[in-house]
Amino acid sequence: MPSRASDADKNAAPPLPAPLRVPVADSHTHLDMQSGTVEEGLAKAASVGVTTVVQVGCDIDGSRWAAETAAAYDAVHATVALHPNEAPRIVHGDPDGWSRQGARRPGGDGALDEALAEIDRLAALPQVKGVGETGLDYFRTGPEGKAAQERSFRAHIEIAKRHGKALVIHDRDAHADVLRVLKEEGAPSGPSSTATPGTRRWPRSAPITATSCPSPAT
C-alpha cells in the first residue's frame, strides 16, 4: 500500500505547464499566499506565457501589499477589498478561529467603517484597477454575520462605481443574495481596456469579474 502524502507534498506546487502560444493575463492571483519571492513567482508565470497578473486583496494588510506590489512591478495590477468573511470578523470578532484566520476581538461597526475607508483610499490609487474580492460567503459565516457581509458588499460596490474600477466578486452559497444586492445597488459600468505585453494597461475584462465557490460534496 502506498504511503500517505506528507503535508509538504500536498502543499507543493504542481509542475509548470507547457508555455502558452500567446501571452495572457491571470485575473486573480494571491502572490502573498505563495512561497518564494514576487520575482520568482512572476518569472515562473512569464515562462509559461502569463505576462500580467492581478494581485487580489482580501483584507487591509493584503490590500496594502497588493497596491505596493503593483506600484513596484510592471507585470502586476492590484485590486483591494475586504473579503466577505473578513467583514463579520471585524465587526463580531473571531474568538474561536472559525474563519481559519486566527483569533480576533470584536471591533463593532466603527471598525468596519474605518476598514472600508482605507479600502476607499487605496481604490483611488492608479495602480489599483479593481475593488475585490468582495461579495457574500455563507459557507463559513453564520446568520449573525450576514448583515456585516452585506453592508460591506454594498460599500464596495459604491467604492468601485465612484472610482470607476472593476468589481471582483466572491460568491459562495449566496448566489441569490449576490444578484439581489447587485440589482439594488446597480452594478459598476465602464469601459474595459486591452492589456499589451510590456505595458501597464488593464487586462481586457468586463466591469465585473466573479468567482463562485461551490460547497464541497458531502
Side-chain angles (χ1 to χ4, degrees):
M1 179 181 294
S3 61
R4 298 179 64 182
S6 66
D7 289 340
D9 292 335
K10 293 178 181 178
N11 294 329
L16 292 175
L20 299 167
R21 294 183 179 181
V22 295
V24 300
D26 187 335
S27 66
H28 196 116
T29 63
H30 294 290
L31 295 172
D32 53 331
M33 300 180 187
Q34 301 177 23
S35 61
T37 66
V38 173
E39 291 85 354
E40 291 170 343
L42 294 177
K44 289 180 180 179
S47 73
V48 296
V50 180
T51 57
T52 304
V53 303
V54 180
Q55 173 64 24
V56 176
C58 293
D59 56 19
I60 292 298
D61 289 343
S63 293
R64 288 171 177 161
W65 190 89
E68 292 168 0
T69 303
Y73 297 92
D74 287 345
V76 180
H77 298 291
T79 73
V80 297
L82 306 176
H83 189 280
N85 289 327
E86 180 70 2
R89 287 186 71 239
I90 292 172
V91 174
H92 301 294
D94 187 7
D96 57 0
W98 63 266
S99 67
R100 301 182 182 179
Q101 300 297 317
R104 181 174 188 157
R105 292 184 177 182
D109 289 337
L112 181 57
D113 288 337
E114 291 178 6
L116 289 168
E118 177 64 3
I119 296 300
D120 186 28
R121 183 190 72 81
L122 292 169
L125 297 173
Q127 70 270 28
V128 174
K129 306 300 183 180
V131 174
E133 57 188 286
T134 182
L136 301 173
D137 186 326
Y138 296 164
F139 179 70
R140 296 197 189 283
T141 297
E144 70 283 353
K146 288 184 177 181
Q149 279 199 2
E150 185 166 320
R151 184 162 81 88
S152 178
F153 185 24
R154 290 180 186 275
H156 281 80
I157 295 171
E158 192 276 332
I159 291 170
K161 291 196 292 187
R162 181 152 41 82
H163 292 291
K165 303 296 174 78
L167 186 67
V168 181
I169 295 176
H170 172 104
D171 170 12
R172 189 169 192 182
D173 292 358
H175 311 313
D177 282 346
V178 166
L179 294 175
R180 172 180 57 81
V181 172
L182 283 171
K183 183 177 181 179
E184 292 172 357
E185 294 294 325
S189 61
S192 59
S193 61
T194 303
T196 303
T199 74
R200 296 284 291 165
R201 298 179 66 188
W202 175 239
R204 184 173 182 83
S205 65
I208 296 177
T209 65
T211 301
S212 180
C213 301
S215 296
T218 56

